[in-house]
Amino acid sequence: MDKTVRERLFSMSEEKYRDFSKALIPGCDNMLGVRVPLIRKYARELIKENEDWQGLLEEDDLYFEETMLRGFITGIATAKEDDVKIARKKLNEFLPYINNWSINDGFCKEFRIIDKHHDEFINDIEKMTASKKEYVARAGLVLLLEHYVKIDMAGNKIARKKTVDRYDIDLESILTDEGVIEERNALQSDSDTSKVRYNNEALNSVYKGKYTDKILELVNRDFSKNGYYTQMAAGWLIAELFVVYPKAVWDFLNDKNNLKLDEVSYKKAIRKICESKIPTKQLKKYIVTVQS
């Protein structure tokens, strides 16, 4: 980043916040101590003031906050321009700058152009998750978590379930879901026999979203050689998907013949599921019993 930008970041730094943040990000010795919301706000300010936002990224970074700012500028500006070709290029240019979980996760959350173009980015993310580099793979997993998990079969964004109980991982209970029953009855009462079919679409809408299968396919690998932060992201992704489409994830975790996930990532997924406030106590107890 240029001298003017660096000086502005220095002016926003706090010594106590720097010491606090450094303790959370091992090995990060180039931190000034600027709060993340201020960096995000400054990124928006710079984009507004500079039509050539890419010119802001020409000089290399010296400090953690500069790299975080670079990520925010990239994410916010590409979403504003809505140019997939440029965004894909900038995504790949930013990846080498990621050297800790905070930069990684902050950038992935802000790379919102994906929300309009899921299909156009899925191949890039597939390559990222297959990478042997710790933070490239983590970036792919966190992009899936932030932008693909909560998409239903129609391509719309949905919320997590308010609660997940044992019936949510029971196929018989899914088949008795009121929404599924209503659609099935409507189809079966239709006089046009060409429209009377087994209601797979309704069942799938409860069981999984548009990208659920792809997410599980990409996370189903051994991340042990990638490193701790990739494995943590894999577990986190699975746990987050569980509170949206629990049955699909439960089947995935229990398909021992096809499960390739390494032990650390697997245990992290179970732990994160059980730490969540969404699954009931009874379900958590059942999960621990079955998975132990």
Side-chain angles (χ1 to χ4, degrees), residues 83-102:
D83 186 317
V84 171
K85 184 177 180 180
I86 290 176
R88 290 180 66 199
K89 180 175 181 288
K90 291 302 175 182
L91 168 63
N92 286 288
E93 286 180 358
F94 184 74
L95 292 178
Y97 284 90
I98 302 176
N99 60 4
N100 62 69
W101 66 265
S102 182

Side-chain angles (χ1 to χ4, degrees), residues 45-63:
E45 180 184 321
L46 287 170
I47 292 168
K48 185 176 181 180
E49 294 175 351
N50 295 269
E51 186 175 345
D52 179 23
W53 61 269
Q54 296 187 53
L56 296 168
L57 310 179
E58 291 178 354
E59 297 185 32
D60 285 333
D61 306 332
L62 295 180
Y63 296 98

